[in-house]
Amino acid sequence: MSVRQNLLATAIASIVALAALPASSQTLRYANQGDLKSLDPYTLRESTTSAHHGHVYEGLVARDKNLKLVPSLAESWETPEPTRWRFHLRKDVKFHNGDPFTADDVIFSADRVRATGSNFTSVIPADAKIIKIDDYTVDFMLSSPNPILTALWDVWYIMDKKWCEEHNAVAPTPASATTPSYASLNENGTGPFTIESHQPGVKTVFKVNPNWWGKPEHNLKEIIFTPIGSSSTRVAALLSGEVDVIEPVPVQDIARVDASPNAAVLKGPELRTLFIGMDQSRDELLYSNVKGKNPFKDIRVREAFYKAIDVDLIKTRVMRGLSTPSALMIAPQLFALSNDFTRPKFDPDAAKKLLTEAGYPDGFEVTLDCPNDRYVNDAAICQAVVGMLARIGVKVDLLAQPKAQYFAKVLKPGGYQTSFYMLGWTPSSLDSHNVLHDIMGCRDDAKDPTRGESNLGGYCNKELDAITDKVLVETDLAKRDQLIKQAFEIGIKDYGYIPLHQQALAWGISKKVVITQRADNQVSLYWATKGE
């Protein structure tokens, strides 16, 4: 769900070729376990989806192969005062249909991304005012300083105001929509690729945009994306040469792919944290046999669930070593004081005792919502959690669904429709504030309606929110880290969430593909097919 993903968004969306490779016509064939449900770039804050959108749409800023913020549709920007950001827009940029890109499109996109139905409302403060200075200059006026504003914008893509108005697509398409909108089936971006055809669930064909304002650094003319949900079929397609790249490679198939003469697995750490969330806001759970009250409002129940889950066993048995158990809701690479935290130990006896003290000596029933085509071994992780909670008497009904159905359910308007769920999150800003604000922030903040945008369970601690607000404006890094530490300590003490692990990347790559990669093997992958 969030996601910019620190792999696909900067890799597939920014394919580059080595200079020595021939410039012959090339097609890259890519398969993922999940589908591309919607082409509307504001529908779903999920990294693989945003990665595909990044082929065709662009933001004011982007990230380079080292994840450094760089100009994109904005050539430059400055902050004349702490609460005013001025952006100088790139001239002579055209949308794919030929419409010129101007300040009007930026203002329209800022309004649209904050509108009901968008899954990206927190990227721009709700009370920010966007002012057109001229056709190529825009000011963002904030009510308080926000030094990391642009860090949130690499997957806030700019849309064509005129095109949206012409096609009745002014409103964003919600993830729960049952009828597709024009924007969900068609695109009109400014990016390096256009979409020649889009068949949801079947195939999407991207073609090079010959009129792109930038300089292509690849020898590709076409990308063909095919969703392949079956892990065995996806691996077979790679080994047979039917596709060039697959993601992910199931952990049980890594050795087989590496032994193949035609392909290899590229492995590396990822910044996404997988976690378990619990509905702590409703007076009665939607999906439980407990009536008249909500067990998750009792901290003893939350602590019991936390201590009943053995993340080390998940690492060895389910992930086969390709995960890093986490004490925090953020990857250690993104927070300097991560080593100050230790995860509470797995203790099923203590968990059983806590449940008894809370009034559930025989446990209770609850439904666990889980995607089955989004993360590495996601359904298997959830199944392991089901078994672990059974040991303390909790009967978990596992509802594992493809991500399109999963997100449509849990993000349903009128209150998130889940009692117990697994989710993954990579902070779009690569900063703790994003996690504290979007995931752990209270959802009922009248002054900041974007707070808790992705807080599906309704966890809330106003003291944590107050510290989060201080984190946003603190410029002294040492003081800022101490504030972040205080906020995470509150969340841990509350057992507000159950962090699981950071998963590892496992990409299957045809040996016809050349890859360049960051030295730390962490975030950016770039490839180009060899000339044949």
Side-chain angles (χ1 to χ4, degrees):
M1 188 179 173
S2 161
V3 354
R4 52 169 295 291
Q5 191 171 346
N6 53 312
L7 50 108
L8 213 51
T10 51
I12 284 187
S14 305
I15 300 167
V16 299
L18 299 177
L21 294 178
S24 55
S25 174
Q26 301 292 346
T27 295
L28 183 77
R29 300 162 299 172
Y30 163 66
N32 187 277
Q33 65 180 352
D35 188 17
L36 175 57
K37 179 186 177 183
S38 173
L39 298 184
D40 188 327
Y42 302 165
T43 293
L44 184 60
R45 197 168 182 174
E46 186 262 336
S47 46
T48 303
T49 299
S50 292
H52 287 291
H53 293 160
H55 290 317
V56 296
Y57 284 102
E58 296 174 297
L60 297 181
V61 301
R63 291 189 186 271
D64 65 12
K65 66 183 69 176
N66 294 313
L67 291 186
K68 178 184 176 182
L69 280 173
V70 294
S72 183
L73 293 181
E75 288 186 314
S76 63
W77 55 89
E78 67 264 359
T79 51
E81 53 194 83
T83 57
R84 179 161 62 100
W85 290 66
R86 173 161 291 183
F87 293 86
H88 304 279
L89 307 182
R90 196 175 297 278
K91 299 177 181 178
D92 300 322
V93 173
K94 293 187 181 300
F95 289 94
H96 295 159
N97 70 347
D99 289 344
F101 160 68
T102 70
D104 291 332
D105 302 305
V106 175
I107 296 171
F108 168 79
S109 297
D111 290 337
R112 190 179 192 272
V113 81
R114 293 180 291 178
T116 300
S118 168
N119 196 213
F120 291 78
T121 57
S122 64
V123 300
I124 302 175
D127 59 354
K129 294 179 173 57
I130 297 86
I131 300 170
K132 176 181 176 180
I133 305 303
D134 57 44
D135 280 347
Y136 296 100
T137 310
V138 177
D139 278 2
F140 282 70
M141 303 296 297
L142 311 179
S143 59
S144 60
N146 184 344
I148 61 170
L149 181 70
T150 52
L152 302 170
W153 285 4
D154 54 333
V155 291
W156 170 41
Y157 299 129
I158 303 301
M159 300 187 72
D160 180 352
K161 175 185 179 183
K162 180 172 176 287
W163 179 81
C164 288
E165 291 174 342
E166 288 176 347
H167 296 289
N168 194 30
V170 170
T173 311
S176 59
T178 56
T179 302
S181 67
Y182 189 85
S184 71
L185 296 176
N186 299 272
E187 64 82 14
N188 186 38
T190 60
F193 288 83
T194 64
I195 290 182
E196 181 182 69
S197 62
H198 174 58
Q199 299 170 272
V202 180
K203 182 173 67 174
T204 302
V205 178
F206 300 84
K207 292 286 189 179
V208 163
N209 174 15
N211 301 313
W212 184 45
W213 59 267
K215 181 181 179 181
E217 296 181 309
H218 59 80
N219 64 350
L220 300 176
K221 291 193 175 180
E222 180 180 60
I223 303 170
I224 299 177
F225 165 64
T226 306
I228 303 178
S230 166
S231 296
S232 58
T233 303
R234 194 166 61 251
V235 171
L238 174 69
L239 298 182
S240 69
E242 181 182 343
V243 298
D244 303 306
V245 178
I246 66 170
E247 197 268 329
V249 177
V251 292
Q252 65 270 19
D253 290 319
I254 289 176
R256 182 161 71 97
V257 174
D258 275 336
S260 163
N262 303 323
V265 178
L266 184 62
K267 300 183 290 291
E270 191 190 9
L271 301 182
R272 176 186 286 110
T273 300
L274 265 64
F275 62 89
I276 298 289
M278 300 156 280
D279 180 355
Q280 299 163 56
S281 62
R282 288 183 174 88
D283 292 329
E284 180 180 299
L285 294 177
L286 292 177
Y287 309 105
S288 173
N289 68 336
V290 179
K291 303 303 177 185
K293 60 180 178 178
N294 179 347
F296 290 132
K297 285 193 172 186
D298 191 322
I299 189 173
R300 293 170 296 184
V301 174
R302 302 196 299 271
E303 183 179 354
F305 273 51
Y306 195 120
K307 291 183 174 179
I309 297 174
D310 188 346
V311 292
D312 291 317
L313 188 63
I314 291 174
K315 175 181 179 179
T316 57
R317 296 286 181 85
V318 180
M319 300 301 294
R320 304 197 185 192
L322 291 178
S323 67
T324 303
S326 181
L328 293 178
M329 293 286 287
I330 193 168
Q333 299 94 325
L334 300 180
F335 179 41
L337 302 184
S338 292
N339 289 336
D340 291 354
F341 293 85
T342 302
R343 183 185 175 88
K345 292 183 179 180
F346 166 64
D347 192 341
D349 292 334
K352 181 66 175 175
K353 183 179 178 181
L354 284 163
L355 273 188
T356 300
E357 292 174 355
Y360 305 98
D362 300 320
F364 57 90
E365 295 180 19
V366 66
T367 297
L368 173 60
D369 289 299
C370 181
N372 61 13
D373 64 351
R374 179 62 198 93
Y375 313 113
V376 176
N377 280 17
D378 41 16
I381 293 169
C382 289
Q383 189 61 61
V385 169
V386 170
M388 292 169 185
L389 291 175
R391 297 182 202 166
I392 64 169
V394 176
K395 180 183 177 182
V396 178
D397 299 312
L398 177 59
L399 179 57
Q401 302 182 88
K403 66 180 182 181
Q405 286 75 36
Y406 168 83
F407 285 118
K409 176 181 185 292
V410 301
L411 296 177
K412 190 174 181 180
Y416 298 131
Q417 303 296 297
T418 183
S419 296
F420 188 42
Y421 64 94
M422 187 180 81
L423 191 64
W425 190 261
T426 306
S428 57
S429 60
L430 303 184
D431 182 82
S432 295
H433 177 269
N434 175 262
V435 177
L436 296 170
H437 182 274
D438 285 23
I439 295 288
M440 302 177 71
C442 297
R443 293 194 319 226
D444 60 351
D445 191 337
K447 294 182 179 180
D448 182 2
T450 67
R451 193 192 303 273
E453 179 187 40
S454 297
N455 179 351
L456 306 187
Y459 165 71
C460 181
N461 188 308
K462 295 294 186 180
E463 183 183 358
L464 185 149
D465 284 355
I467 295 174
T468 299
D469 290 342
K470 293 179 181 179
V471 168
L472 180 62
V473 299
E474 180 57 66
T475 57
D476 183 297
L477 292 182
K479 292 180 180 178
R480 190 173 192 270
D481 283 343
Q482 288 298 325
L483 289 170
I484 292 170
K485 181 178 179 180
Q486 291 175 32
F488 280 133
E489 285 173 341
I490 291 171
I492 290 172
K493 185 179 179 180
D494 288 341
Y495 289 94
Y497 290 90
I498 306 173
L500 298 177
H501 60 243
Q502 286 83 42
Q503 67 183 27
L505 304 179
W507 288 24
I509 313 290
S510 167
K511 291 183 178 178
K512 296 187 299 181
V513 175
V514 172
I515 303 170
T516 62
Q517 185 178 356
R518 274 182 58 180
D520 61 9
N521 192 36
Q522 185 153 156
V523 285
S524 298
L525 306 176
Y526 292 76
W527 60 74
T529 51
K530 292 179 180 177
E532 295 177 337

